[in-house]
Amino acid sequence: MVSDSFAEPSIGPEKTGAQEPKASSAPLRREEALPAILGTGDMTVLMVLIVLFVANNNGVQLAGPAAFFYWGLGLLTFLLPCVYVTRWLALRFPGQGAPYLWATRILGARWSFFSAYAAWLPGVLVTVAAIQSSLIFVQYLAPNWFTTPIEQGIAIVVILIVPTSVACLPLRLLKRILLVLALFYIGVFVLLGVAGILWMYSGHVAATTFTSAGAWMPNKNNFAAYGVVILAYLGVDVPLFMGGEIRGGKAGVRHATTYVWWGTALVFFAYVLGTFGVMAIVPAAQSGGMSANVIAISMVFGPVAGKVADIVLAIGQIALTIAYILTFSRLLVVVANDRRLPAALTKLNRRGVPVNSIIAQSSLSAVITILSLVILPVLFGSQMRPDDLAYGIYNVLQASTTVIWVCTVIQLFVFVFWLLYRRKNRPVTSRRQRCLLLLCSITGCAASLIGIWGTVSSSWLPALIPNANWTIIILGVTILSFLAGLVGSELPRLHALVGEQTRLTTREKKLRDQLQEAYMEQQDVYN
């Protein structure tokens, strides 16, 4: 892990002879200010819930023991560079919706809106995937429920009401609820690791052979696991969408940004423990499904423990959904506060909750769900059996989310290059820190591009979708998502701009009428 002993940038622009360009986003009015009550622990909980996804335990099983190599490689080449760069940028440009603020200050307002859209879209897709994961765990206890894409789509739309309602609770209460849910969720990963150790300690033969040296090495047949690992590590910067709600002012922000280190440690060890438990206990033919996590616990601790773990994991996916809705809805608030989305999204209720943005976030997730029911079955219909269709849709959404989300991560590394090599207002950094930032950015960009290529070129469902068809489907869904989103996102932006222009025009017209009236009164006096 990269040490924090390196010189950190001061919070705010450095004094380098010229002032840093100001962000275009105006601060929220006092009566609309979101409550600043988050601390390091709260931010760590948000990061764990956003980054730690139980499905990734099973996604890497295709690589066998080489999965542990990919977990370590992803940690060194992707997660740690993301963590260090994210914290450096957060200290330099603190504030609500930090990644959007970074894009605004560094690349300008025109690019910042596209950047916000690219960052927001994965939040919608991953919300759908999280609820679909919850339904898969429900199916373990009730196999006849939600077996078709139509049934799953309707269930996702209905279930969205629950996390949406919980996300509307006051943040002071909600953060405690998320802490409890996160502890139970992480507990399942720990239990999987303990189950794997007890299984082998009691004399059982491991379901996967760990003694073959060749099985631990990466090759072209297991390279797709690296794309899964990249997906598994995404989301480090997402909690900073709530950066304006960190308590303690500048000192509080500086301390709270250490959440990236705590979150990284928890996420990495949870993934390794969970992967080991499934790999040691569950046969390879069953280890790829999400129910493998429950099967592993049931085989060691009994069916009752398995059912309890299944319920915890189902609820855990709802907790993930709450975290996604909570954080990504804050991005809508920030963009709307910048007058690039309807101002209604910034409205707070009497408890300081942006209910409108939360409802908008969930509603758009529901729309994506409905569209996926129409578009994806058409793409998949000739590729697989109806029984496998729902699982295929889930994996395609996950893979498309990976491609789009990784693109936003590459943008963070581009920010570093731009700041370090621009001609004016360069940040004051030590030589050691400058070298470390460049190393992290180059490594992170390379890992991101390899992760995108691995995700697009290698099928996550090789038995169901060949690589060639997989590439066409993933690129098609990704491009359609971008095009549909760009066209759709222009409508609220233009509506907001027209509304703002109408307001200014009305105010100027009123002022002109007042001036004309004053002029006429003055003429009457002179006459």
Side-chain angles (χ1 to χ4, degrees):
M1 183 175 296
V2 182
S3 172
D4 274 350
S5 62
F6 296 107
E8 293 288 358
S10 59
I11 295 183
E14 292 88 346
K15 296 179 180 179
T16 57
Q19 293 296 320
E20 189 73 27
K22 296 181 180 180
S24 63
S25 56
L28 291 171
R29 296 190 299 273
R30 181 174 298 275
E31 65 269 22
E32 294 182 346
L34 293 161
I37 59 176
L38 297 178
T40 305
D42 306 315
M43 299 292 282
T44 302
V45 167
L46 287 173
M47 177 178 167
V48 168
L49 289 176
I50 290 167
V51 178
L52 189 60
F53 208 86
V54 68
N56 297 315
N57 277 350
N58 315 102
V60 298
Q61 295 295 324
L62 60 90
F68 298 104
F69 172 85
Y70 286 118
W71 282 126
L73 181 65
L75 175 72
L76 296 175
T77 61
F78 184 77
L79 183 56
L80 288 181
C82 287
V83 164
Y84 191 79
V85 166
T86 296
R87 187 163 190 248
W88 186 78
L89 289 168
L91 290 172
R92 181 170 172 76
F93 301 119
Q96 185 80 18
Y100 173 75
L101 175 66
W102 304 340
T104 302
R105 288 196 174 188
I106 296 172
L107 302 178
R110 180 179 296 275
W111 176 262
S112 66
F113 187 77
F114 176 78
S115 173
Y117 164 73
W120 167 83
L121 181 59
V124 177
L125 298 177
V126 79
T127 297
V128 177
I131 296 183
Q132 197 161 20
S133 299
S134 182
L135 296 180
I136 292 174
F137 288 115
V138 172
Q139 285 179 317
Y140 181 81
L141 299 178
N144 296 325
W145 291 11
F146 316 121
T147 56
T148 67
I150 296 295
E151 291 176 353
Q152 289 199 3
I154 295 173
I156 289 172
V157 173
V158 173
I159 292 175
L160 262 173
I161 298 174
V162 175
T164 301
S165 301
V166 176
C168 290
L169 292 174
L171 189 57
R172 194 176 301 277
L173 172 62
L174 180 56
K175 69 177 187 177
R176 294 187 176 93
I177 295 175
L178 291 178
L179 172 61
V180 174
L181 295 177
L183 290 175
F184 278 100
Y185 188 56
I186 293 176
V188 174
F189 288 84
V190 175
L191 191 61
L192 280 169
V194 173
I197 294 172
L198 291 177
W199 180 262
M200 298 183 67
Y201 181 76
S202 61
H204 291 89
V205 177
T208 302
T209 302
F210 293 105
T211 55
S212 173
W216 291 81
M217 300 304 295
N219 56 60
K220 64 179 182 179
N221 295 323
N222 59 36
F223 182 70
Y226 187 68
V228 179
V229 168
I230 296 298
L231 168 64
Y233 286 150
L234 288 170
V236 172
D237 60 315
V238 172
L240 291 173
F241 291 152
M242 304 182 69
E245 294 164 79
I246 297 175
R247 64 175 179 265
K250 292 183 178 181
V253 172
R254 175 176 291 276
H255 184 264
T257 54
T258 59
Y259 84 85
V260 294
W261 302 119
W262 293 105
T264 296
L266 290 172
V267 164
F268 176 72
F269 286 113
Y271 275 138
V272 170
L273 289 174
T275 301
F276 169 73
V278 172
M279 197 172 292
I281 301 170
V282 183
Q286 297 176 285
S287 62
M290 286 184 18
S291 59
N293 302 281
V294 181
I295 293 173
I297 293 174
S298 298
M299 291 177 66
V300 176
F301 299 107
V304 175
K307 291 180 180 179
V308 172
D310 184 78
I311 294 172
V312 170
L313 287 173
I315 297 175
Q317 304 311 296
I318 301 299
L320 269 62
T321 305
I322 296 170
Y324 295 140
I325 293 174
L326 183 68
T327 51
F328 285 95
S329 66
R330 292 311 196 267
L331 179 58
L332 296 179
V333 173
V334 174
V335 179
N337 187 56
D338 202 18
R339 297 184 177 90
R340 301 180 71 83
L341 286 176
L345 294 174
T346 66
K347 299 292 184 181
L348 308 181
N349 65 11
R350 61 181 181 176
R351 295 185 177 181
V353 179
V355 175
N356 290 347
S357 66
I358 291 173
I359 294 176
Q361 181 72 23
S362 297
S363 299
L364 291 167
S365 297
V367 171
I368 292 295
T369 301
I370 295 172
L371 289 176
S372 68
L373 295 176
V374 177
I375 298 174
L376 294 183
V378 174
L379 297 175
F380 276 106
S382 60
Q383 303 294 329
M384 62 181 65
R385 299 174 303 165
D387 293 344
D388 297 322
L389 197 55
Y391 185 61
I393 290 176
Y394 166 78
N395 278 276
V396 166
L397 285 177
Q398 283 283 78
S400 301
T401 299
T402 301
V403 175
I404 298 171
W405 209 340
V406 171
C407 289
T408 67
V409 174
I410 293 175
Q411 178 183 247
L412 299 184
F413 299 123
V414 172
F415 289 166
V416 173
F417 288 127
W418 193 90
L419 287 170
L420 293 180
Y421 287 99
R422 62 182 177 178
R423 294 184 178 181
K424 298 181 179 179
N425 303 329
R426 291 184 182 178
V428 177
T429 56
S430 66
R431 183 177 180 180
R432 181 188 301 180
Q433 187 183 42
R434 191 182 188 89
C435 291
L436 184 56
L437 285 168
L438 290 175
L439 177 63
C440 288
S441 299
I442 294 172
T443 305
C445 280
S448 299
L449 293 174
I450 292 173
I452 291 176
W453 178 72
T455 301
V456 173
S457 63
S458 301
S459 175
W460 291 6
L461 301 170
L464 299 176
I465 307 176
N467 287 340
N469 294 337
W470 173 266
T471 299
I472 295 173
I473 291 172
I474 298 303
L475 288 178
V477 172
T478 302
I479 293 172
L480 283 175
S481 298
F482 265 120
L483 293 178
L486 285 173
V487 173
S489 64
E490 279 297 297
L491 298 179
R493 186 179 74 87
L494 293 176
H495 181 270
L497 292 176
V498 170
E500 178 69 11
Q501 186 62 44
T502 301
R503 186 183 67 82
L504 293 175
T505 302
T506 302
R507 188 177 65 178
E508 291 177 359
K509 183 178 179 181
K510 183 178 180 180
L511 179 60
R512 186 179 63 182
D513 292 341
Q514 290 175 347
L515 291 174
Q516 182 67 24
E517 184 179 349
Y519 175 77
M520 295 301 295
E521 290 178 356
Q522 188 178 33
Q523 291 296 319
D524 291 341
V525 170
Y526 286 134
N527 293 334

